[in-house]
Amino acid sequence: MSAKSLKQHIFRLSSVLVLPCAIAILANVWISSIDQAKLQLANNLKVAESVFTQVLDAREAQLISSTKVLISDYGFKEAIGEQDSRTIGSVLVNHGNRISADLMALISPEGIITNSTSDRLALGSSFPFPQLVEQIKYELFISEILLINDKLYQAILMDARVPGVPTLALVGFEIDRSLLESMKIITQLDTTIRVLKNQQKVFQVSTLKEAHFDTNVMLENQDLSWFKLSFTPELQFISKSFLLKERENGQIWAMMTEDSERLFGEFNQLQIKVTLIALLSVLLALFFGAIVARRLSKPLGQLSFVARKIAAGNYEQPIDIKSNTLEIDALTSSFKTMQANVHERQKQISYQASHDMLTDLQNRYQIREVISELFAKKQHFQVVGANILGFRGVNDTFGFQNGDSCLQAVASRIRQLGGQSARLNGGEFLWIPESPISMENLTDIQKEIESPIMIDDVVMNIRLALGIISCPENCEDAESVFKRLNILLDEARTSPSLIVSYHQDFENRYTRRLAIISELKHALISNHSELKMVYQPKLDLSSGQITHAEALIRWNSAALGFVPPDEFIGIAEQAGLIGQVTDFVIRSAIVDAKKVIDSGLHICIAINLSAKDILNPNLLETIEQHLKNYGVSASCLSFEITESDLVADPQKAVVELNKFRDVGFSLAIDDFGTGYSSLAYLKQLPVSELKIDKSFVLNLVDQSSDQQIVQTILELAHNFQLGVIAEGVENQQSLELLKEWGCDWVQGYHVCRPIAVEDMIDWCLQNKRTNWFE
């Protein structure tokens, strides 16, 4: 038997499929049926509406005629003129009986019921529709449908025209279920009258059962489908509503309802037959389709089994599939080729997934598996972390290509040490020695790896920080190894020898840093912040008055206790929180400056800013907004910037500081003398003061070298027309020396310790006349 193409098999299968035809026939029957039913429904509802309207019109004509007869009766008019209630009542009753009226009443022009045959309108009560009493003054009669005490009436209101005794006659027929039942006999449709007030139903009378109103009635303009009417048994009725009367706050609706079973019964039978024929056609199609599918499914199933084996990593599974279909034979051949290619690529991918492509060392994920396996085997081993210090500078100085060559050279030297080695990221490596090594061995290894690297006549000198961890003594799993290795390398970078061995204190410091970051975040967003501001006054040596003060932040943590600023400020900078800390300090200082102003004092508050703060383009705008919000002028604030921070990016720092000066802030260089001070650079800075670091002032009386440094700084500053602040004044002798040498301001515990703003205000007022040099 010759092999046939897959297209031929698909053609055979398609030829026996009658499902589209069956669906088309069924859909056509359904659509035609529902269209015919809709047309018949519309006619029935329209006829019913017309009949109902005519009945109401006929009743209205009868009411008008009967009312005219009543008010034309001489005896009736005479009784009204004489106010003979007994006669009037008798006339109303007799006339009502003759015309079968359900409501007969007389109403005064003031809207008071004077006579009535119905207890719905009590004598002496107010007519519930005063607007009709007012309206009848301008019309011959009023025809209305009225809801009176839970009964609905079709009524006529007409002026009785009795000379001397203005009276309105009201005659009405009740609209009740008996009326609607009589109309149902004519129209063969159910009728419902519904009264709405403010969109809420207040009355309803119907030939339908109460249970059918909300769940069993479907509106004519809703989508009518055979499916809904056949398989949704609760939809038994179809209705059409039209408005009878409308007032300002209410409406009266009539609803004609058709029984869907009577309307769609025959159509449903036809549709069921057509559906059964379509179902039979589908079953035949499935039968023939199954025969063809069986011939195709067996070889495709075998190929699927082979594909699962390949997906599971089994590339040796033989592929020997026989088929009488050309396309499946071609697919089998393709599978064999794919199996071989995937096997080869898988080897490459596995290697790339476990190795660093630049250095050919293992990567972080692969070395993690190695470490986990060593832990699983409960072996004792050491892990050495290595980090090239300032590797980013190597890239910046020598270019990325030479930087990559540097990494490759370092990786080669580490690989030659034996054991397991990996590159973790950037200039960071990990090495697991084959045998234990000592700190002396590690020093030798450091020197060996740090030897100059020659690349195309370029000599690169590198420094290497090393840290060593013993396992399982210091770690319990691979995750803890990586965590503590990071901690260890941070410590190694600050160690003089750049080599450290793991100690628990390292992790304690790391844990404290994390705790400080966490608690500081909480303190910055808390409504009851643990952060507080204190102020240390600065004494003006020329006037003997307090004219300046330095703002200092303090943190008493509920969890950590008192945390020194020197500790948490640096951590805040590393964690990216320094902007929030600075914003807190500035906002608090401005609020406190307002308090100082209100006390009558004139004190300029100095705020310390870091290099990151200065280079923040939004900081100045934020400060100006705070000043505006609290009504504080720029002259009430000044800023101190650490000398070493300014040197980090001098050009940009000068640009930003000029912006601060232009706004009106005075600027000072903090801790002057402790960093790199270029006179040319100092001349460019828009600062007005220098602040001598307290390390030169604390022992000023006893140390002649400190005296020389301080005098030199004072002379230098005055030559540049700069004021000088000396911090760390702890005794009277230092205070007098600084005044003698021409220092402008001093601060220190001898003058006043840092205190809260309220205490500073009190202190300044108390010491306003203090003579500091007696």
Side-chain angles (χ1 to χ4, degrees), residues 303-317 319 335-336 338-340 342-343 346:
L303 287 174
S304 176
F305 174 78
V306 172
R308 287 195 297 270
K309 288 293 184 181
I310 294 174
N314 183 356
Y315 305 108
E316 307 299 330
Q317 176 70 30
I319 302 177
F335 258 76
K336 292 178 180 179
M338 179 190 71
Q339 185 183 50
V342 169
H343 190 191
Q346 184 63 31

PDB file of all heavy atoms in Angstrom, residues 303-317 319 335-336 338-340 342-343 346:
ATOM      1  N   LEU A 303       6.458   9.766  18.539  1.00  0.00           N
ATOM      2  CA  LEU A 303       7.324  10.934  18.461  1.00  0.00           C
ATOM      3  C   LEU A 303       7.185  11.804  19.722  1.00  0.00           C
ATOM      4  O   LEU A 303       8.163  12.391  20.205  1.00  0.00           O
ATOM      5  CB  LEU A 303       6.986  11.771  17.230  1.00  0.00           C
ATOM      6  CG  LEU A 303       7.417  11.171  15.876  1.00  0.00           C
ATOM      7  CD1 LEU A 303       6.896  12.026  14.745  1.00  0.00           C
ATOM      8  CD2 LEU A 303       8.927  11.044  15.797  1.00  0.00           C
ATOM      9  N   SER A 304       5.987  11.884  20.272  1.00  0.00           N
ATOM     10  CA  SER A 304       5.774  12.637  21.502  1.00  0.00           C
ATOM     11  C   SER A 304       6.544  12.008  22.661  1.00  0.00           C
ATOM     12  O   SER A 304       7.126  12.717  23.494  1.00  0.00           O
ATOM     13  CB  SER A 304       4.278  12.696  21.829  1.00  0.00           C
ATOM     14  OG  SER A 304       4.048  13.341  23.060  1.00  0.00           O
ATOM     15  N   PHE A 305       6.559  10.676  22.704  1.00  0.00           N
ATOM     16  CA  PHE A 305       7.313   9.974  23.752  1.00  0.00           C
ATOM     17  C   PHE A 305       8.803  10.295  23.646  1.00  0.00           C
ATOM     18  O   PHE A 305       9.480  10.572  24.647  1.00  0.00           O
ATOM     19  CB  PHE A 305       7.075   8.463  23.617  1.00  0.00           C
ATOM     20  CG  PHE A 305       7.901   7.635  24.553  1.00  0.00           C
ATOM     21  CD1 PHE A 305       7.550   7.519  25.887  1.00  0.00           C
ATOM     22  CD2 PHE A 305       9.037   6.975  24.102  1.00  0.00           C
ATOM     23  CE1 PHE A 305       8.323   6.752  26.751  1.00  0.00           C
ATOM     24  CE2 PHE A 305       9.809   6.219  24.961  1.00  0.00           C
ATOM     25  CZ  PHE A 305       9.450   6.103  26.296  1.00  0.00           C
ATOM     26  N   VAL A 306       9.321  10.296  22.410  1.00  0.00           N
ATOM     27  CA  VAL A 306      10.730  10.633  22.200  1.00  0.00           C
ATOM     28  C   VAL A 306      11.002  12.081  22.627  1.00  0.00           C
ATOM     29  O   VAL A 306      12.033  12.379  23.253  1.00  0.00           O
ATOM     30  CB  VAL A 306      11.110  10.429  20.719  1.00  0.00           C
ATOM     31  CG1 VAL A 306      12.514  10.963  20.449  1.00  0.00           C
ATOM     32  CG2 VAL A 306      11.027   8.954  20.354  1.00  0.00           C
ATOM     33  N   ALA A 307      10.062  13.001  22.306  1.00  0.00           N
ATOM     34  CA  ALA A 307      10.249  14.414  22.675  1.00  0.00           C
ATOM     35  C   ALA A 307      10.316  14.576  24.183  1.00  0.00           C
ATOM     36  O   ALA A 307      11.113  15.369  24.705  1.00  0.00           O
ATOM     37  CB  ALA A 307       9.104  15.256  22.101  1.00  0.00           C
ATOM     38  N   ARG A 308       9.495  13.814  24.933  1.00  0.00           N
ATOM     39  CA  ARG A 308       9.536  13.903  26.395  1.00  0.00           C
ATOM     40  C   ARG A 308      10.864  13.391  26.926  1.00  0.00           C
ATOM     41  O   ARG A 308      11.407  13.914  27.908  1.00  0.00           O
ATOM     42  CB  ARG A 308       8.369  13.124  26.998  1.00  0.00           C
ATOM     43  CG  ARG A 308       7.019  13.801  26.819  1.00  0.00           C
ATOM     44  CD  ARG A 308       5.958  13.193  27.727  1.00  0.00           C
ATOM     45  NE  ARG A 308       5.719  11.787  27.408  1.00  0.00           N
ATOM     46  CZ  ARG A 308       4.829  11.345  26.530  1.00  0.00           C
ATOM     47  NH1 ARG A 308       4.098  12.238  25.850  1.00  0.00           N
ATOM     48  NH2 ARG A 308       4.650  10.067  26.314  1.00  0.00           N
ATOM     49  N   LYS A 309      11.404  12.347  26.310  1.00  0.00           N
ATOM     50  CA  LYS A 309      12.704  11.832  26.724  1.00  0.00           C
ATOM     51  C   LYS A 309      13.797  12.885  26.505  1.00  0.00           C
ATOM     52  O   LYS A 309      14.678  13.075  27.343  1.00  0.00           O
ATOM     53  CB  LYS A 309      13.033  10.549  25.941  1.00  0.00           C
ATOM     54  CG  LYS A 309      12.203   9.335  26.351  1.00  0.00           C
ATOM     55  CD  LYS A 309      12.550   8.906  27.760  1.00  0.00           C
ATOM     56  CE  LYS A 309      11.798   7.618  28.150  1.00  0.00           C
ATOM     57  NZ  LYS A 309      12.126   7.203  29.531  1.00  0.00           N
ATOM     58  N   ILE A 310      13.725  13.560  25.357  1.00  0.00           N
ATOM     59  CA  ILE A 310      14.709  14.611  25.069  1.00  0.00           C
ATOM     60  C   ILE A 310      14.559  15.754  26.065  1.00  0.00           C
ATOM     61  O   ILE A 310      15.553  16.290  26.582  1.00  0.00           O
ATOM     62  CB  ILE A 310      14.534  15.124  23.619  1.00  0.00           C
ATOM     63  CG1 ILE A 310      14.874  14.006  22.619  1.00  0.00           C
ATOM     64  CG2 ILE A 310      15.409  16.344  23.364  1.00  0.00           C
ATOM     65  CD1 ILE A 310      14.591  14.378  21.172  1.00  0.00           C
ATOM     66  N   ALA A 311      13.307  16.133  26.363  1.00  0.00           N
ATOM     67  CA  ALA A 311      13.064  17.209  27.328  1.00  0.00           C
ATOM     68  C   ALA A 311      13.596  16.850  28.704  1.00  0.00           C
ATOM     69  O   ALA A 311      14.025  17.720  29.469  1.00  0.00           O
ATOM     70  CB  ALA A 311      11.569  17.519  27.401  1.00  0.00           C
ATOM     71  N   ALA A 312      13.567  15.546  29.057  1.00  0.00           N
ATOM     72  CA  ALA A 312      14.069  15.094  30.354  1.00  0.00           C
ATOM     73  C   ALA A 312      15.583  14.942  30.370  1.00  0.00           C
ATOM     74  O   ALA A 312      16.159  14.598  31.406  1.00  0.00           O
ATOM     75  CB  ALA A 312      13.404  13.773  30.729  1.00  0.00           C
ATOM     76  N   GLY A 313      16.245  15.170  29.226  1.00  0.00           N
ATOM     77  CA  GLY A 313      17.696  15.090  29.173  1.00  0.00           C
ATOM     78  C   GLY A 313      18.241  13.778  28.664  1.00  0.00           C
ATOM     79  O   GLY A 313      19.455  13.551  28.674  1.00  0.00           O
ATOM     80  N   ASN A 314      17.373  12.904  28.182  1.00  0.00           N
ATOM     81  CA  ASN A 314      17.809  11.613  27.627  1.00  0.00           C
ATOM     82  C   ASN A 314      17.958  11.768  26.114  1.00  0.00           C
ATOM     83  O   ASN A 314      16.979  11.780  25.374  1.00  0.00           O
ATOM     84  CB  ASN A 314      16.785  10.522  27.961  1.00  0.00           C
ATOM     85  CG  ASN A 314      17.219   9.147  27.478  1.00  0.00           C
ATOM     86  OD1 ASN A 314      18.256   9.008  26.825  1.00  0.00           O
ATOM     87  ND2 ASN A 314      16.426   8.131  27.791  1.00  0.00           N
ATOM     88  N   TYR A 315      19.216  11.888  25.685  1.00  0.00           N
ATOM     89  CA  TYR A 315      19.474  12.115  24.267  1.00  0.00           C
ATOM     90  C   TYR A 315      19.911  10.825  23.547  1.00  0.00           C
ATOM     91  O   TYR A 315      20.310  10.868  22.387  1.00  0.00           O
ATOM     92  CB  TYR A 315      20.563  13.185  24.092  1.00  0.00           C
ATOM     93  CG  TYR A 315      20.216  14.474  24.803  1.00  0.00           C
ATOM     94  CD1 TYR A 315      20.884  14.857  25.966  1.00  0.00           C
ATOM     95  CD2 TYR A 315      19.204  15.301  24.317  1.00  0.00           C
ATOM     96  CE1 TYR A 315      20.563  16.024  26.616  1.00  0.00           C
ATOM     97  CE2 TYR A 315      18.879  16.483  24.972  1.00  0.00           C
ATOM     98  CZ  TYR A 315      19.560  16.832  26.123  1.00  0.00           C
ATOM     99  OH  TYR A 315      19.240  17.992  26.776  1.00  0.00           O
ATOM    100  N   GLU A 316      19.840   9.699  24.226  1.00  0.00           N
ATOM    101  CA  GLU A 316      20.258   8.426  23.638  1.00  0.00           C
ATOM    102  C   GLU A 316      19.074   7.571  23.214  1.00  0.00           C
ATOM    103  O   GLU A 316      19.256   6.439  22.739  1.00  0.00           O
ATOM    104  CB  GLU A 316      21.116   7.639  24.655  1.00  0.00           C
ATOM    105  CG  GLU A 316      22.289   8.434  25.227  1.00  0.00           C
ATOM    106  CD  GLU A 316      23.256   8.873  24.148  1.00  0.00           C
ATOM    107  OE1 GLU A 316      23.386   8.160  23.133  1.00  0.00           O
ATOM    108  OE2 GLU A 316      23.895   9.931  24.324  1.00  0.00           O
ATOM    109  N   GLN A 317      17.857   8.064  23.410  1.00  0.00           N
ATOM    110  CA  GLN A 317      16.673   7.297  23.064  1.00  0.00           C
ATOM    111  C   GLN A 317      16.610   7.067  21.546  1.00  0.00           C
ATOM    112  O   GLN A 317      16.612   8.023  20.764  1.00  0.00           O
ATOM    113  CB  GLN A 317      15.406   8.052  23.514  1.00  0.00           C
ATOM    114  CG  GLN A 317      14.091   7.390  23.133  1.00  0.00           C
ATOM    115  CD  GLN A 317      13.840   6.120  23.913  1.00  0.00           C
ATOM    116  OE1 GLN A 317      14.290   6.000  25.040  1.00  0.00           O
ATOM    117  NE2 GLN A 317      13.155   5.173  23.317  1.00  0.00           N
ATOM    118  N   ILE A 319      15.240   6.465  17.812  1.00  0.00           N
ATOM    119  CA  ILE A 319      14.017   6.898  17.133  1.00  0.00           C
ATOM    120  C   ILE A 319      13.822   5.997  15.915  1.00  0.00           C
ATOM    121  O   ILE A 319      14.512   6.129  14.900  1.00  0.00           O
ATOM    122  CB  ILE A 319      14.124   8.373  16.706  1.00  0.00           C
ATOM    123  CG1 ILE A 319      14.400   9.270  17.920  1.00  0.00           C
ATOM    124  CG2 ILE A 319      12.850   8.820  16.006  1.00  0.00           C
ATOM    125  CD1 ILE A 319      14.590  10.732  17.572  1.00  0.00           C
ATOM    126  N   PHE A 335      13.310  14.866  13.825  1.00  0.00           N
ATOM    127  CA  PHE A 335      13.484  14.593  15.251  1.00  0.00           C
ATOM    128  C   PHE A 335      14.888  14.046  15.526  1.00  0.00           C
ATOM    129  O   PHE A 335      15.516  14.397  16.529  1.00  0.00           O
ATOM    130  CB  PHE A 335      12.426  13.596  15.741  1.00  0.00           C
ATOM    131  CG  PHE A 335      11.299  14.247  16.491  1.00  0.00           C
ATOM    132  CD1 PHE A 335      10.317  14.944  15.819  1.00  0.00           C
ATOM    133  CD2 PHE A 335      11.226  14.168  17.864  1.00  0.00           C
ATOM    134  CE1 PHE A 335       9.284  15.540  16.492  1.00  0.00           C
ATOM    135  CE2 PHE A 335      10.195  14.765  18.560  1.00  0.00           C
ATOM    136  CZ  PHE A 335       9.211  15.452  17.869  1.00  0.00           C
ATOM    137  N   LYS A 336      15.365  13.173  14.648  1.00  0.00           N
ATOM    138  CA  LYS A 336      16.701  12.602  14.840  1.00  0.00           C
ATOM    139  C   LYS A 336      17.767  13.705  14.776  1.00  0.00           C
ATOM    140  O   LYS A 336      18.686  13.743  15.599  1.00  0.00           O
ATOM    141  CB  LYS A 336      16.971  11.549  13.770  1.00  0.00           C
ATOM    142  CG  LYS A 336      16.107  10.295  13.916  1.00  0.00           C
ATOM    143  CD  LYS A 336      16.388   9.307  12.779  1.00  0.00           C
ATOM    144  CE  LYS A 336      15.517   8.058  12.923  1.00  0.00           C
ATOM    145  NZ  LYS A 336      15.744   7.092  11.818  1.00  0.00           N
ATOM    146  N   MET A 338      17.238  16.920  15.323  1.00  0.00           N
ATOM    147  CA  MET A 338      17.042  17.801  16.474  1.00  0.00           C
ATOM    148  C   MET A 338      17.665  17.204  17.732  1.00  0.00           C
ATOM    149  O   MET A 338      18.294  17.906  18.534  1.00  0.00           O
ATOM    150  CB  MET A 338      15.544  18.042  16.703  1.00  0.00           C
ATOM    151  CG  MET A 338      15.239  18.941  17.896  1.00  0.00           C
ATOM    152  SD  MET A 338      13.479  18.970  18.307  1.00  0.00           S
ATOM    153  CE  MET A 338      13.289  17.319  18.977  1.00  0.00           C
ATOM    154  N   GLN A 339      17.502  15.898  17.922  1.00  0.00           N
ATOM    155  CA  GLN A 339      18.046  15.237  19.103  1.00  0.00           C
ATOM    156  C   GLN A 339      19.557  15.429  19.190  1.00  0.00           C
ATOM    157  O   GLN A 339      20.100  15.756  20.254  1.00  0.00           O
ATOM    158  CB  GLN A 339      17.693  13.751  19.074  1.00  0.00           C
ATOM    159  CG  GLN A 339      18.097  12.983  20.323  1.00  0.00           C
ATOM    160  CD  GLN A 339      17.786  11.508  20.194  1.00  0.00           C
ATOM    161  OE1 GLN A 339      18.146  10.874  19.199  1.00  0.00           O
ATOM    162  NE2 GLN A 339      17.097  10.951  21.179  1.00  0.00           N
ATOM    163  N   ALA A 340      20.234  15.260  18.066  1.00  0.00           N
ATOM    164  CA  ALA A 340      21.697  15.418  18.057  1.00  0.00           C
ATOM    165  C   ALA A 340      22.094  16.870  18.328  1.00  0.00           C
ATOM    166  O   ALA A 340      23.024  17.139  19.107  1.00  0.00           O
ATOM    167  CB  ALA A 340      22.252  14.954  16.716  1.00  0.00           C
ATOM    168  N   VAL A 342      20.303  19.284  19.859  1.00  0.00           N
ATOM    169  CA  VAL A 342      19.955  19.689  21.228  1.00  0.00           C
ATOM    170  C   VAL A 342      20.972  19.144  22.216  1.00  0.00           C
ATOM    171  O   VAL A 342      21.366  19.819  23.180  1.00  0.00           O
ATOM    172  CB  VAL A 342      18.527  19.221  21.589  1.00  0.00           C
ATOM    173  CG1 VAL A 342      18.255  19.404  23.074  1.00  0.00           C
ATOM    174  CG2 VAL A 342      17.488  19.987  20.780  1.00  0.00           C
ATOM    175  N   HIS A 343      21.407  17.914  21.976  1.00  0.00           N
ATOM    176  CA  HIS A 343      22.403  17.303  22.864  1.00  0.00           C
ATOM    177  C   HIS A 343      23.679  18.144  22.900  1.00  0.00           C
ATOM    178  O   HIS A 343      24.247  18.412  23.974  1.00  0.00           O
ATOM    179  CB  HIS A 343      22.711  15.884  22.390  1.00  0.00           C
ATOM    180  CG  HIS A 343      23.526  15.104  23.369  1.00  0.00           C
ATOM    181  ND1 HIS A 343      24.101  13.888  23.071  1.00  0.00           N
ATOM    182  CD2 HIS A 343      23.879  15.370  24.657  1.00  0.00           C
ATOM    183  CE1 HIS A 343      24.759  13.449  24.126  1.00  0.00           C
ATOM    184  NE2 HIS A 343      24.636  14.325  25.104  1.00  0.00           N
ATOM    185  N   GLN A 346      22.992  21.546  24.575  1.00  0.00           N
ATOM    186  CA  GLN A 346      22.793  21.393  26.013  1.00  0.00           C
ATOM    187  C   GLN A 346      24.121  21.361  26.757  1.00  0.00           C
ATOM    188  O   GLN A 346      24.261  21.912  27.849  1.00  0.00           O
ATOM    189  CB  GLN A 346      21.988  20.115  26.308  1.00  0.00           C
ATOM    190  CG  GLN A 346      21.645  19.911  27.781  1.00  0.00           C
ATOM    191  CD  GLN A 346      20.747  21.007  28.319  1.00  0.00           C
ATOM    192  OE1 GLN A 346      19.942  21.566  27.577  1.00  0.00           O
ATOM    193  NE2 GLN A 346      20.897  21.331  29.592  1.00  0.00           N
TER     194      GLN A 346
END
